Amino acid sequence: MELRLYNTLTRSKDTLRPLDPANVRMYVCGPTVYDHAHIGNARPVIVFDVLNRLLRRLYGEAHVKYVRNITDVDDKINARAAERGITIRDLTEETYRWFREDTAALNCLPPTVEPRATEHIAEMRTLIESLVASGHAYVAEEHVLFHVPSMPDYGRLSRRPLDEMVAGARVDVAPYKRDPMDFVLWKPSADGVPGWPSPCGIATPGRPGWHIECSAMSWRHLGETFDIHGGGIDLVFPHHENEIAQSRCAFHTGVMAQMWMHNGFLMLEGEKMSKSLGNFVTIRELLAEWPGEVLRLAMLSTHYRQPINWTRQGLGFAAKTLDKWYRVIGEAEAETGEGNPFEIEIADRLADDLNTPSAITHLHHLAEVAEHEETSSALRRRFKGAANLLGLLGDTETGWRARQKEAIALDEGVIAGLIADRIAARKAKNFKRADQIREELAAQGVVLMDNKDGTTSWEVSR
Ligand code: AMP
Ligand code: ZN
């Protein structure tokens, strides 16, 4: 089966041909660990988990090396640790533990390696010294900077016009930069901020810039060049462009990774969900209300390159779908592997640039087939095996019902508050708001019943 993936580098769907035909190597930019991950951060984790599962299915589990880093040195981390009065190590450990728990609840397999930036400082120094030695970087005022004009084809990934990049870079030009586009590889650390011995004979201890971390960790764990590099679309410029510049100039290679894949944004009310905009909901908050599998199915219902509009209604649909699918499989065990034609049909759809919406539509069809063949448990096992490829239906119906109850620990006080808001909205003739509250509750399975005397009661129906 050929695997075709949209490659940001070529702007086309390319067939994956691993550099080593028997082994695939993939790197995905991971979290900066200073706070709870929001559901937008979960998107690349889930999307590349689906790709990881597909690669393991196509090449064999032992032949896929998936590396996702942990950025545990960053100015946001320093600031947050100071704010909370805890050590940097405690903050990054705690946040990483949350991240691991959250992503496990979303049924994501752990990557093969999760390297930490702070454990790869030696590799960063080596790369930086080699870039300085070959004239691609220079030392200025205790910083080391990559000199962008030293790379004639800088910008090939993002294809931004040079003047636009220069204008962007000019916003914040440090006086020691030779060119406004030059970026930091290493910077000095003041007292109280983590610092390591600096490269290039700089006396003051320092710390790495963000981009060099990924060049160092991908080099150490995957080599000078590898097959797939992924992350969110916001990372194309400058992060990935700069990773490419560092790695290609250090190793004198034509590419860093052959395929560059980027997921679209998760949006809330028309805006990108992000910590800086303040419009975010954490994975943890959602997990208090919904089983992780519901979040996963809702996420995969949109193709990974399209923006997702995140709504409660979408979660409600996903919950209903899983409810139905678990009813179909009952207590069946999954059938996986070459012998399962349903699984091959799903793999086929995923092999077309991870077309998860098409795979899900097909699962709906397969569920109907399995449901109507009451006597055939083989079909139920095959259906379950096919869904497993997407990281879905890993449980039994009994297990699912138990998890659902746990997640729907409906807070009666919150419901009573919303009902009171709705009554007030109706009194004020704000019927739009009143309907909105009714729909919000309906999406959680709470059905309101208005009585003649003006009171409202409710019951759960999912
Ligand atoms: P950050 O912690 O902001 O560096 O983000 C970690 C990963 O999440 C990166 O791959 C980002 O591209 C991705 N990401 C952040 N916000 C969103 C969003 N709203 N939708 C999709 N991906 C996102
Ligand atoms: Zn990166």
Side-chain angles (χ1 to χ4, degrees), residues 127-139 144-152 178 182 185 249-250 252:
L127 280 185
I128 291 172
E129 288 189 336
S130 113
L131 287 169
V132 171
S134 58
H136 288 292
Y138 59 95
V139 178
V144 187
L145 293 126
F146 185 93
H147 191 42
V148 170
S150 77
M151 184 187 193
R178 285 189 197 156
D182 293 354
L185 300 173
C249 291
H252 313 288

Side-chain angles (χ1 to χ4, degrees), residues 27-30 69 71 210-211 213-215 229-230 235 239-240 243:
Y27 185 93
V28 175
C29 295
N69 72 290
T71 295
W210 172 36
H211 315 306
E213 296 179 8
C214 287
S215 286
H229 193 312
L235 301 185
H239 183 55
H240 288 166
E243 277 187 36

